[in-house]
Amino acid sequence: LFLTLAWRTERTLFTFLTGAAMGSCIYTFSVAQFIWPVAALLVAIKFIRRPTVRELAAVGLMIAAFALVVTPGFLTTSPQHFVDLAMDHSHREMAVEDPVGVARVSLVRSFLVFWANPQWFRHFIGGPILDPISGVLVLIGLVLGLVRADNGAARIGVAWFGVGLLLIASAAYVTTPFFTRLLLVIPACAIVAARGVWALEVSLRGLGRTGGVA
């Protein structure tokens, strides 16, 4: 988000926040660090196309912000401990033996856990991620978004939900759902649920109900 804002507005604040946000990736799950080469490639392309002092200063500002965020972590964490943590959160035995199988099972379970959670005792979750009403609305919105992709917001919601699940499952090292990581697609659920509300409203109007009831 910050990279996009920095690119479109060229404001110093967003450039600084881009570097800081990328630095924060070392404090989250390891797959977040994939944004580093992506951002580096985009910045390099922009600099090559327009090699000015302003662009060079922007790169320096991002690097400075990145260093400000990562320095405390490296000062308080030994290199070996940092490597051990990275391995523990990305390289489990099951994922090494069958990474595709782990990702496939994780993808299915991560999708279903929004509506049904048999492992209710894990991660302090007392049930599925969505309540019954929201779950129905999200399901309606997903089906409409796949069948009738004629709405920009609906397309964004469905793409966010699907790509988010795919990325989370691809970075999985166990077959159980990652509840904390699945929070990344909660905004997509809100967008998709709004599409479901709209569909119900249209249906109720078609049945002759009043606008207030709808």
Side-chain angles (χ1 to χ4, degrees):
L1 173 62
F2 289 137
L3 179 62
T4 303
L5 291 173
W7 192 297
R8 293 175 64 90
T9 66
E10 297 187 352
R11 293 183 59 183
T12 303
L13 175 62
F14 293 134
T15 303
F16 179 86
L17 290 175
T18 298
M22 289 193 295
S24 300
C25 293
I26 71 164
Y27 301 104
T28 59
F29 49 95
S30 301
V31 71
Q33 296 167 17
F34 280 117
I35 192 62
W36 294 350
V38 173
L41 179 62
L42 293 175
V43 171
I45 291 174
K46 188 173 184 181
F47 180 76
I48 292 172
R49 294 174 62 182
R50 192 170 59 179
T52 63
V53 176
R54 181 182 176 86
E55 296 298 328
L56 189 61
V59 173
L61 182 61
M62 280 192 286
I63 294 175
F66 180 89
L68 282 173
V69 174
V70 303
T71 298
F74 285 116
L75 288 177
T76 57
T77 308
S78 66
Q80 184 57 48
H81 186 53
F82 183 80
V83 172
D84 291 342
L85 288 174
M87 294 292 289
D88 184 56
H89 288 277
S90 61
H91 199 260
R92 296 285 176 87
E93 290 79 3
M94 188 183 302
V96 173
E97 294 175 0
D98 187 9
V100 176
V102 171
R104 184 172 61 251
V105 175
S106 178
L107 178 62
V108 174
R109 290 183 175 178
S110 295
F111 176 78
L112 294 176
V113 79
F114 283 87
W115 296 274
N117 181 19
Q119 296 178 320
W120 58 269
F121 51 85
R122 295 174 62 88
H123 280 76
F124 310 104
I125 301 294
I129 295 178
L130 299 174
D131 62 89
I133 296 176
S134 299
V136 171
L137 294 175
V138 168
L139 195 59
I140 294 173
L142 286 174
V143 172
L144 285 175
L146 292 172
V147 175
R148 296 179 56 188
D150 56 351
N151 181 277
R155 288 196 296 268
I156 291 175
V158 173
W160 186 342
F161 187 88
V163 174
L165 283 183
L166 185 62
L167 288 176
I168 293 170
S170 299
Y173 47 83
V174 292
T175 56
T176 56
F178 289 92
F179 293 102
T180 49
R181 301 185 189 186
L182 288 172
L183 295 178
L184 295 173
V185 298
I186 290 297
C189 290
I191 297 173
V192 173
R195 177 71 166 175
V197 171
W198 173 84
L200 289 178
E201 180 184 1
V202 171
S203 299
L204 289 173
R205 288 181 184 275
L207 293 175
R209 302 294 179 87
T210 62
V213 175

